[in-house]
Amino acid sequence: MNISSVVVRVELEAFEGVLESLKNIENVEVGAFDKDKGVIIALIEAESVNEEVKANRAIEQTRGVISAHMHYSYSDESPLPPDIQASLEKIENTDAKSVRYGGDVNNWLFDK
């Protein structure tokens, strides 16, 4: 799950149209807005980073949007490789003196 808040700056004359357009973008919810300042706080809740980026791009491309910047982003997607447990066990069971370091831990972790 990925959750982001996006600060959207909007042309004042296009504000109502942008507000309605944002409500129709998948994974986007309007959290708050100030029509007088031309600012909308949009929330993106998506299953993946790709869906999150797609929603942000749709906001950016909405007619009347001046800018759309992610202010906060949370992701619970694991950045670790699927075989991390085997790698951790290899590290725990390796004598530090036998480690050949060449600037990249993958040189000895995944050396075949």
Side-chain angles (χ1 to χ4, degrees):
M1 178 60 60
N2 296 283
I3 301 169
S4 298
S5 63
V6 182
V7 178
V8 185
R9 301 275 303 149
V10 180
E11 296 171 359
L12 294 179
E13 60 277 358
F15 192 87
E16 293 297 329
V18 171
L19 192 60
E20 285 306 309
S21 294
L22 296 185
K23 291 177 182 178
N24 294 316
I25 297 173
E26 187 175 358
N27 300 317
V28 174
E29 176 183 327
V30 173
F33 61 87
D34 185 330
K35 184 177 180 179
D36 294 333
K37 293 182 180 178
V39 176
I40 298 172
I41 306 300
L43 306 171
I44 301 173
E45 184 175 340
E47 290 298 318
S48 70
V49 172
N50 287 339
E51 290 178 15
E52 182 180 28
V53 170
K54 181 179 176 183
N56 192 67
R57 285 194 179 135
I59 293 170
E60 291 173 330
Q61 294 171 356
T62 300
R63 181 170 294 174
V65 169
I66 299 168
S67 65
H69 298 287
M70 280 193 186
H71 181 70
Y72 171 82
S73 185
Y74 166 80
S75 175
D76 65 3
E77 288 184 28
S78 177
L80 301 174
D83 59 348
I84 191 68
Q85 189 60 41
S87 297
L88 291 173
E89 289 172 10
K90 184 174 182 180
I91 291 170
E92 287 177 3
N93 298 324
T94 301
D95 180 11
K97 292 178 185 175
S98 69
V99 174
R100 174 181 47 83
Y101 182 71
D104 183 356
V105 75
N106 287 321
N107 284 338
W108 69 274
L109 270 182
F110 303 107
D111 198 24
K112 296 185 179 179

